[in-house]
Amino acid sequence: MTAISLPRLNADSLATRALNGILKSPKATIAGICCILFVVIAVIGPWIAPQNPYDLMQISIMDAKLSPGSQSMAGATYWLGTDGQGRDMLSAMIYGLRTSLAVGLVSGIVALGIGTSLGLIAAYYGGRVDTLIMRLVDLMLGFPTILVALMMLALIGQGLGKVMAALVLVQWALFARAVRGAALVEKSKEYVEAATCLGLSKGRILFGHLLPNCLPPLLVIATLQVANAISAEATLSFLGIGLPITEPSLGLLISNGYEVLMSGQYWISVYPGLLLVALVFSINIVGDRLREVLNPRLQR
Amino acid sequence: MTVFIIRRLSQSLLVLFITSIIVFAGIYAIGNPIDILIAPDATFAEREQAIKALGLDQSLIEQYGTFLWNALHGDLGRSFVFNQPSIDLILNRMPATLELAFVALFLSLAIGIPLGLWSGLRPNSVLDETVMTGSILGFSLPNFWQGMMLIMIFSVWLGWLPSTGRGEVDTVLGMRTSLTSWSGISHLILPAFNLALFKISLVTRLTRSGVRENMPLDFVKFARAKGLSERRIVSVHVLKNIMIPIVTVVGVEFGGIIAFAIVTETIFAWPGMGKLLIDSIMRLDRPVVVAYLLVVVTLFIVINFVVDILYSLLDPRIRLGSAA
């Protein structure tokens, strides 16, 4: 049975291995459930949020800066208080979670695509292509993420698309390096030789056969990178060079509360911050567990 | 060794050169250099004059030549806001940032190494689990929010420590430092801890995995057989061996500390170059932004260079591997 099991099957068992690994650790299971919960809340957000905090008809400036649990003019309760414009914090946080998660996931996935392709190409072709790509990777990784993203945004200005582009720019190199490392090991194995002998196209060998076997380290990095991207976006938005006020993420909500923190209106920045930490922390716990299960060599 | 240094140095120069092209492309080719380099409130005549003076009517190649020539002579433009050479502004603010960064680095080692040793020697115990989960939390707490919480707790609620500014600054041996008076130190504690937390987590994890890798090795068994106390084995022999990865990573991460100082300085109003950068971005003072970029890239190249040299001195195997 072992003799006929093709390496390609690893791709299927990867999900099982990852899932089993997570379920075996109570800590990771709870974190995983939290992650799913956050995604669900983000998706159905507009239907469960008490109000649409960006619909001017629904908010009243008379309700500004109310403390948690107080009543609105209309009689509804603001469980987490309101911000300077009279928006319900709970609703604002649900909408912010949507933006933060979307930015993290989209930029992570695009970076994964670009980085994986370049890493595979570098490993498969070797020689000058490899040197060129890896030099670029070294150059990128030589500078801290936040600095590169900040500089890029300082030069090109702010906006949702630009923030995502900046986050892709700072993330792809990690994926490329990981895939290249894994692919170099896989490349010398017999199934690649067999595929070449069968006359399969290069694209098919690269993406159909090499890639599935390089997935474990990718899954680990992808998970951790989504957390990093969310955190980076929040930081950039806090510094005022990330998302514009029209696309409020959790980082921007926290930033709004920064000015009034000294005067004791803690809830405007504390609650969105707690949500952000819970989100990033859960993703990181799951990622850390995946690293233990799938890739013991990657230990930090 | 000389060959190694020359090779590294030429690589560094290449990186600097490439960066200058990217920066140049960023300002001159993608954006509109007139908007970036000329104050927005300039009159039409002033604009025309500035375009001539800056050579913006020349070809891109010629412009790059001028840009490079000026940069090499330390001329990175004048700040619109302060009307001073932007390079002077940045160099004036740099000592404050470096002081903050070094104190944060010291904190991360002073807290991270003992924590890592402590949990690495008791693998899979409750304590180990707590420290490891704590370190993930340390990674997950966004720097800026954690800083705000520090201010809220220690400045607003407890009133123990000041939340903004640098406090008293003295000159010691030609360096301006706030480490000589309580006023200075009390202003430094919160920002330094804020900046250090991420690195504390990193050093803890590194130390822990180093301890776990080294403890089963023969030299530890030998030291035990010789009858050395466990304390001496860990604090002298094991620690020496795990210092190599720690020194390297910490060296590389020093750059990260300087980058994150931008966030810390903004929250705690620390008068360093990171705050200057954010203020300049907000005021559209672009020559300062450009100058900061070039100064920081140079700083990074120097740091990476020094770390490489240090690394090869600490571990001769690396040097041989690179030179071969």
Side-chain angles (χ1 to χ4, degrees):
Chain A
M1 193 56 206
T2 44
I4 12 171
S5 78
L6 290 168
R8 227 183 144 170
L9 286 177
N10 282 354
D12 304 322
S13 65
L14 176 67
T16 333
R17 264 164 71 206
L19 200 62
N20 280 338
I22 290 173
L23 289 178
K24 262 187 207 137
S25 150
K27 193 172 75 185
T29 312
I30 297 174
I33 293 172
C34 288
C35 289
I36 296 171
L37 205 67
F38 287 135
V39 173
V40 171
I41 292 177
V43 172
I44 61 170
W47 292 280
I48 57 166
Q51 58 165 234
N52 177 354
Y54 303 101
D55 178 0
L56 291 178
M57 296 301 289
Q58 292 186 31
I59 61 173
S60 157
I61 194 77
M62 301 297 284
D63 288 343
K65 295 183 185 170
L66 291 178
S67 59
S70 36
Q71 300 277 314
S72 76
M73 305 285 282
T77 308
Y78 295 123
W79 294 109
L80 298 182
T82 58
D83 71 2
Q85 271 95 49
R87 283 188 286 242
D88 173 37
M89 279 316 292
L90 180 63
S91 310
M93 279 162 59
I94 292 174
Y95 276 74
L97 180 69
R98 280 166 71 84
T99 315
S100 288
L101 258 180
V103 170
L105 285 173
V106 171
S107 67
I109 290 169
V110 175
L112 175 83
I114 296 175
T116 307
S117 310
L118 286 175
L120 278 179
I121 289 169
Y124 190 74
Y125 290 95
R128 282 217 188 120
V129 182
D130 186 26
T131 315
L132 182 70
I133 295 178
M134 291 324 285
R135 270 290 128 87
L136 215 57
V137 166
D138 286 342
L139 184 67
M140 285 306 305
L141 295 180
F143 297 96
T145 331
I146 197 78
L147 189 72
V148 178
L150 207 148
M151 281 309 163
M152 187 174 156
L153 291 171
L155 288 177
I156 64 173
Q158 55 173 214
L160 188 62
K162 286 172 180 167
V163 169
M164 286 190 193
L167 291 175
V168 169
L169 177 77
V170 295
Q171 290 183 86
W172 71 269
L174 268 178
F175 290 107
R177 194 175 62 177
V179 174
R180 175 180 172 270
L184 276 182
V185 178
E186 291 296 323
K187 196 182 137 190
S188 55
K189 292 193 176 162
E190 281 173 352
Y191 72 92
V192 177
E193 215 172 295
T196 317
C197 289
L198 282 172
L200 297 186
S201 72
K202 275 183 181 153
R204 201 159 157 208
I205 297 177
L206 274 177
F207 292 98
H209 294 267
L210 264 178
L211 181 58
N213 289 298
C214 302
L215 283 180
L218 270 186
L219 186 64
V220 176
I221 297 180
T223 316
L224 296 173
Q225 276 316 112
V226 169
N228 277 347
I230 291 174
S231 199
E233 177 273 310
T235 306
L236 292 169
S237 297
F238 172 76
L239 290 175
I241 50 170
L243 296 178
I245 309 180
T246 47
E247 321 256 12
S249 70
L250 291 174
L252 214 57
L253 292 179
I254 299 171
S255 165
N256 287 340
Y258 176 61
E259 280 97 50
V260 293
L261 186 68
M262 299 289 184
S263 41
Q265 280 134 2
Y266 66 91
W267 59 91
I268 303 178
S269 53
V270 169
Y271 293 129
L274 283 176
L275 181 61
L276 179 66
V277 172
L279 177 68
V280 176
F281 190 44
S282 327
I283 303 176
N284 273 335
I285 295 257
V286 172
D288 197 58
R289 180 67 191 156
L290 285 178
R291 167 163 43 202
E292 274 170 32
V293 183
L294 301 176
N295 202 345
R297 278 187 308 132
L298 258 179
Q299 275 197 2
R300 188 149 37 175
Chain B
M1 194 63 197
T2 324
V3 177
F4 176 77
I5 292 181
I6 292 172
R7 183 194 298 255
R8 270 270 168 263
L9 204 59
S10 53
Q11 278 176 4
S12 305
L13 288 177
L14 185 70
V15 172
L16 195 57
F17 179 67
I18 294 173
T19 315
S20 77
I21 294 180
I22 296 174
V23 174
F24 175 80
I27 321 161
Y28 287 78
I30 300 173
N32 185 354
I34 299 171
D35 291 342
I36 296 178
L37 297 172
I38 302 172
D41 53 354
T43 64
F44 185 76
E46 279 171 344
R47 280 173 76 97
E48 287 300 299
Q49 197 194 355
I51 288 173
K52 262 239 150 53
L54 292 165
L56 295 177
D57 44 358
Q58 292 167 334
S59 75
L60 268 184
I61 306 282
E62 281 172 320
Q63 285 186 42
Y64 177 68
T66 318
F67 169 76
L68 197 63
W69 182 255
N70 287 340
L72 284 175
H73 289 77
D75 177 9
L76 296 171
R78 288 179 86 84
S79 157
F80 301 149
V81 177
F82 297 95
N83 198 24
Q84 279 179 35
S86 42
I87 185 86
D88 290 357
L89 275 174
I90 288 169
L91 293 181
N92 274 336
R93 304 287 193 100
M94 200 190 256
T97 299
L98 288 179
E99 178 179 79
L100 184 63
F102 275 114
V103 173
L105 190 66
F106 171 77
L107 277 183
S108 59
L109 291 175
I111 301 175
I113 293 180
L115 271 182
L117 283 176
W118 205 27
S119 77
L121 290 173
R122 297 163 188 77
N124 302 321
S125 63
V126 177
L127 181 121
D128 180 38
E129 273 286 304
T130 315
V131 171
M132 289 318 278
T133 311
S135 75
I136 301 180
L137 185 63
F139 279 127
S140 308
L141 281 176
N143 208 299
F144 67 98
W145 189 71
Q146 171 234 340
M148 287 165 65
M149 292 305 104
L150 288 179
I151 291 182
M152 194 179 86
I153 296 169
F154 293 101
S155 303
V156 180
W157 287 355
L158 297 173
W160 289 352
L161 293 165
S163 63
T164 53
R166 198 180 172 194
E168 239 170 73
V169 180
D170 278 338
T171 308
V172 178
L173 302 172
M175 278 192 318
R176 280 170 296 154
T177 172
S178 46
L179 287 170
T180 48
S181 63
W182 170 242
S183 154
I185 294 175
S186 67
H187 279 85
L188 190 57
I189 295 175
L190 287 185
F193 182 77
N194 168 248
L195 195 50
L197 186 69
F198 196 86
K199 303 302 166 198
I200 293 175
S201 308
L202 184 70
V203 172
T204 305
R205 291 177 82 92
L206 270 176
T207 313
R208 175 183 176 270
S209 67
V211 171
R212 293 196 60 184
E213 265 167 38
N214 275 289
M215 285 314 273
L217 295 185
D218 284 344
F219 79 91
V220 176
K221 283 182 198 147
F222 179 69
R224 280 202 186 113
K226 249 170 70 177
L228 294 184
S229 69
E230 200 69 8
R231 196 191 177 82
R232 192 177 159 77
I233 295 175
V234 173
S235 62
V236 178
H237 300 273
V238 173
L239 199 59
K240 231 187 222 169
N241 272 285
I242 56 182
M243 275 325 274
I244 295 174
I246 292 179
V247 166
T248 329
V249 172
V250 160
V252 174
E253 291 292 327
F254 186 68
I257 292 185
I258 290 192
F260 265 103
I262 298 172
V263 181
T264 303
E265 286 173 9
T266 306
I267 300 168
F268 292 93
W270 185 261
M273 55 182 189
K275 178 152 173 35
L276 177 70
L277 171 74
I278 296 297
D279 290 346
S280 302
I281 292 176
M282 293 302 155
R283 294 178 191 139
L284 300 178
D285 195 357
R286 294 192 184 92
V288 179
V289 176
V290 172
Y292 176 90
L293 183 65
L294 288 175
V295 167
V296 157
V297 169
T298 315
L299 195 64
F300 267 81
I301 288 170
V302 172
I303 293 171
N304 287 349
F305 182 65
V306 171
V307 171
D308 276 342
I309 302 286
L310 266 184
Y311 196 20
S312 72
L313 284 178
L314 277 174
D315 193 345
R317 285 168 301 179
I318 305 300
R319 186 165 58 219
L320 293 175
S322 266

